[in-house]
C-alpha cells in the first residue's frame, strides 16, 4: 500500500482515488475538466472539490499516458476528454483493487473511531460496519450470519411496532 487513498494494481501501477473516479466518470461519457469538478462537487455535497491545479495536470498526464484522449474542443475552447482502449483496460485493472480500497476505508474508519470514539457512530455507520463484517466472512459462516441478521430484523420490527403503538 502506497497511500490510504491510492490503489496499486497487480501490474504495480499506483493511482489515486481521484484518478480512479475520473476514469470511471469518463467511462460513462466524455467530459471536460470543468464537468468533472462539478460532478465531484455534487457527489461530496460541496464539501470537497479538487482544485483546478489538481484536475487539469492529472488530465494532461492521463492524456500523455494514452489513458484518455482529447476528443474535441467544445464551446468556448473547452477540451472534452474520453477514455481510450488503454484507459478502459486501466479502469478494469483498477476496479479489481476493490478489496484494497475497502480495506483502506476500514483503516480510515479505525482512525476515526480512535479519535471520536465508537459511541458517536451513527446508525448508517453501524450498518456499513455490519455489511463490511459480513463481506469478510468465509462461505461456511454465511448461513449463520444470515440467521443473525434475520433475528436483528425481527428485533428492529418489534421496535417499530412499539413506536406505532405509542402514537
Amino acid at each position: 500500500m502506497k497511500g490510504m487513498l491510492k490503489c496499486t494494481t497487480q501490474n504495480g501501477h499506483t493511482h489515486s482515488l481521484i484518478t480512479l473516479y475520473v476514469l470511471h466518470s469518463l467511462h460513462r461519457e466524455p467530459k471536460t475538466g470543468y464537468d468533472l469538478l462539478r460532478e465531484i462537487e455534487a457527489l461530496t455535497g460541496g464539501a470537497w472539490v479538487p482544485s483546478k491545479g489538481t484536475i487539469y495536470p492529472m488530465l494532461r498526464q492521463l492524456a500523455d499516458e494514452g489513458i484518455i484522449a482529447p476528443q474535441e474542443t467544445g464551446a468556448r475552447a473547452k477540451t472534452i476528454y474520453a477514455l481510450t482502449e488503454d484507459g478502459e483496460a486501466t479502469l478494469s485493472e483498477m476496479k479489481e483493487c476493490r478489496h484494497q480500497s475497502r480495506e483502506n476505508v476500514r483503516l480510515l474508519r479505525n482512525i476515526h473511531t480512535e479519535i471520536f470514539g465508537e459511541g458517536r457512530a451513527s446508525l448508517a455507520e453501524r450498518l456499513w460496519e455490519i455489511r463490511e463484517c459480513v463481506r469478510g466472512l468465509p462461505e461456511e459462516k454465511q448461513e449463520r450470519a444470515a440467521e443473525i441478521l434475520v433475528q436483528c430484523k425481527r428485533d428492529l420490527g418489534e421496535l417499530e411496532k412499539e413506536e406505532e403503538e405509542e402514537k
Side-chain angles (χ1 to χ4, degrees):
M1 181 184 334
K2 293 189 176 188
M4 296 293 277
L5 297 176
K6 294 183 179 213
C7 81
T8 303
T9 65
Q10 290 182 346
N11 294 332
H13 298 113
T14 299
H15 295 282
S16 68
L17 182 64
I18 191 70
T19 301
L20 176 59
Y21 181 76
V22 165
L23 297 181
H24 169 76
S25 182
L26 294 178
H27 170 73
R28 291 186 297 195
E29 65 178 316
K31 294 178 179 137
T32 65
Y34 180 80
D35 294 336
L36 291 163
L37 291 171
R38 298 292 63 93
E39 201 172 89
I40 293 167
E41 181 178 31
L43 276 174
T44 62
W48 182 74
V49 182
S51 70
K52 292 176 183 173
T54 298
I55 202 83
Y56 289 107
M58 176 195 309
L59 290 170
R60 280 192 292 277
Q61 181 182 346
L62 292 171
D64 289 347
E65 293 173 7
I67 295 173
I68 64 173
Q71 225 182 15
E72 59 186 84
T73 302
R76 295 192 289 175
K78 291 184 177 180
T79 304
I80 300 170
Y81 292 96
L83 214 53
T84 63
E85 282 186 33
D86 284 349
E88 292 285 352
T90 300
L91 178 61
S92 293
E93 192 178 306
M94 289 174 72
K95 283 187 171 183
E96 290 175 12
C97 300
R98 183 180 175 170
H99 67 283
Q100 187 182 103
S101 180
R102 193 177 305 132
E103 178 64 13
N104 289 347
V105 169
R106 188 188 67 76
L107 295 173
L108 288 172
R109 172 79 181 120
N110 289 346
I111 292 170
H112 183 274
T113 299
E114 177 64 25
I115 295 168
F116 299 107
E118 195 65 35
R120 298 184 145 258
S122 69
L123 290 176
E125 288 172 315
R126 298 273 187 229
L127 289 172
W128 185 84
E129 291 170 358
I130 289 169
R131 189 179 82 191
E132 291 305 305
C133 184
V134 169
R135 280 184 175 166
L137 290 175
E139 185 70 30
E140 65 271 12
K141 296 196 176 189
Q142 296 283 323
E143 187 175 329
R144 177 70 182 123
E147 291 170 5
I148 291 169
L149 291 175
V150 167
Q151 182 59 48
C152 179
K153 184 179 172 191
R154 279 191 209 120
D155 292 347
L156 291 172
E158 290 299 319
L159 281 177
E160 189 176 33
K161 283 180 189 174
E162 287 175 20
E163 180 66 23
E164 289 174 8
E165 289 172 3
E166 290 176 9
K167 289 181 181 177

